[in-house]
Amino acid sequence: MEGVIDAHARDLLTRRPGFDWAVTEFVRVVDARLPPKVFLRHCPELATGVTTPTGVPVALQLLGSDPGALAANAEQARDLGASAIDLNFGCPAKLVNRHDGGASLLRDPRRVQAAVAAVHNAVGDTIPVTAKIRLGFSHRRLALACAQAAADGGATQLVVHARTRDEGYRPPAHWEWIGRIRRHLPIPVVANGDIWSLEDYWKARTLSGCRDVMLGRGALADPLLAHRIQHWLNTGERLPDTQWQGRASILAEYAALQRSTLPERIVTSLVKQWLNHMRYRDDEAERRFQAVKRINDLEGLLAGLGHAPQEPGHTPREPRHTTGAPAGTLSHV
């Protein structure tokens, strides 16, 4: 989720009940101890109790392959106030993998264990170390071994994206494979991948057997999905699907938050990037994206979304309730 789930996005996504915790974009670790400003740029919540404004805890994520460098930067993050360190072994991006990061480590479970153990040993029991993996790099034969390696290294929780690196984001997600991993691990396992709706959420839980799920692209496509999942869990009532005006309101507020510190051309690009995620399963978002994708000024972009610019602090109205389906569990981003 690099370049997408920044602090403003985390703020907006967690304003309604639904998320138990959030994770930063990854901090890329190569071979040096990074200065505090890098961590504060990725996780400004370090200066405000390491939570979003509504109190949702934020874990700081590291991505790298050198155990010593990861350990040094985990110590730096802890000393700056980080309350949890998450290790990224799931990123499928070609550039990241070419530079020996993300899912590239899944080709050798020993490297996963070495990285997790180094970070765990560096921070001790002062803060938890968690990890995210995929089902493998080019195949699934090492899925359980990589998961076990993370647990053996000291991870207290494991998020599993239900595809290999080579499968990228192509459907389907193999949630049943997460179940195979969960049954063998002594730590909590969280299901991730292709959760776009309440129905997807329930299928992911049912096939994986996991109590919890992590939302990534699904939370950007429908910013109210976690809230609707939790409401479904708590009441059995199904809230209506998020309408376009609700999505446009969130994009407009995101723009208002970003434009307070960034040039408008960059804000325009960021809003388009979020809109690009929304259009995957929404015809109106697709239509709006095609209409505004060549617009380069922010006011024109927001007008094309059918929403006037907003000042920070605006929150879309609560949708009306309808009755619905069986309950599920809490969600994360």
Side-chain angles (χ1 to χ4, degrees):
M1 306 301 288
E2 184 186 17
V4 184
I5 300 291
D6 56 29
H8 290 316
R10 293 192 291 272
D11 174 9
L12 289 169
L13 289 169
T14 58
R15 287 186 182 183
R16 293 170 181 264
F19 289 105
D20 296 315
W21 44 271
V23 183
T24 67
E25 302 164 283
F26 64 73
V27 176
R28 183 69 164 101
V29 173
V30 182
D31 57 3
R33 186 184 178 100
L34 297 167
K37 65 180 181 181
V38 174
F39 294 93
L40 289 166
R41 183 171 68 246
H42 284 77
C43 186
E45 295 96 339
L46 287 168
T48 56
V50 210
T51 69
T52 67
T54 54
V56 174
V58 178
L60 194 146
Q61 188 177 86
L62 302 179
L63 180 148
S65 57
D66 181 272
L70 286 169
N73 282 281
E75 289 178 332
Q76 178 80 297
R78 179 201 58 193
D79 293 345
L80 290 169
S83 57
I85 300 292
D86 186 61
L87 296 175
N88 184 329
F89 303 112
C91 180
K94 291 181 180 179
L95 180 62
V96 169
N97 287 189
R98 277 202 305 269
H99 290 85
D100 199 28
S104 67
L105 277 75
L106 299 178
R107 290 176 286 199
D108 186 348
R110 294 170 298 181
R111 299 189 69 203
V112 173
Q113 182 171 348
V116 176
V119 171
H120 174 68
N121 291 336
V123 300
D125 294 323
T126 56
I127 59 175
V129 177
T130 62
K132 182 179 181 183
I133 67 170
R134 281 176 170 253
L135 295 178
F137 190 82
S138 58
H139 55 75
R140 302 175 205 146
R141 291 192 292 273
L142 296 176
L144 179 57
C146 286
Q148 188 66 59
D152 291 345
T156 59
Q157 178 179 269
L158 184 69
V159 175
V160 181
H161 181 96
R163 281 177 283 232
T164 66
R165 181 268 175 189
D166 285 357
E167 288 173 325
Y169 294 104
R170 295 191 304 275
H174 308 288
W175 296 316
E176 69 281 1
W177 272 79
I178 300 177
R180 299 180 188 182
I181 291 171
R182 179 191 58 78
R183 289 191 290 272
H184 287 86
L185 256 59
I187 60 175
V189 174
V190 178
N192 172 243
D194 269 9
I195 300 171
W196 304 95
S197 66
L198 297 180
E199 289 75 17
D200 293 336
Y201 160 76
W202 189 249
K203 289 177 185 177
R205 277 199 67 199
T206 301
L207 292 175
S208 70
C210 293
R211 176 184 178 275
D212 296 327
V213 304
M214 172 175 273
L215 302 181
R217 295 177 302 145
L220 292 172
D222 180 0
L224 301 183
L225 177 57
H227 176 63
R228 291 192 290 110
I229 288 173
Q230 188 185 64
H231 185 83
W232 192 33
L233 167 67
N234 292 338
T235 70
E237 292 179 316
R238 177 168 181 155
L239 296 175
D241 291 343
T242 309
Q243 299 302 305
W244 169 251
Q245 191 59 33
R247 300 178 197 226
S249 295
I250 288 173
L251 290 176
E253 186 159 11
Y254 181 64
L257 292 169
Q258 294 286 14
R259 74 195 307 182
S260 65
T261 57
L262 294 175
E264 291 203 354
R265 60 180 177 81
I266 296 178
V267 178
T268 300
S269 177
L270 290 171
V271 173
K272 285 182 183 179
Q273 189 172 5
W274 193 336
L275 177 61
N276 185 48
H277 283 274
M278 285 185 177
R279 71 190 181 112
Y280 180 66
R281 293 226 175 166
D282 185 86
D283 292 340
E284 181 62 19
E286 168 66 18
R287 188 180 73 79
R288 300 279 180 168
F289 180 83
Q290 295 302 329
V292 304
K293 65 182 180 181
R294 293 185 176 84
I295 295 177
N296 294 318
D297 68 281
L298 186 58
E299 301 299 334
L301 172 62
L302 293 173
L305 296 179
H307 204 285
Q310 295 289 338
E311 295 300 322
H314 168 79
T315 302
R317 292 181 300 171
E318 183 84 18
R320 291 177 296 173
H321 293 182
T322 59
T323 59
T329 190
L330 302 180
S331 307
H332 315 273
V333 65

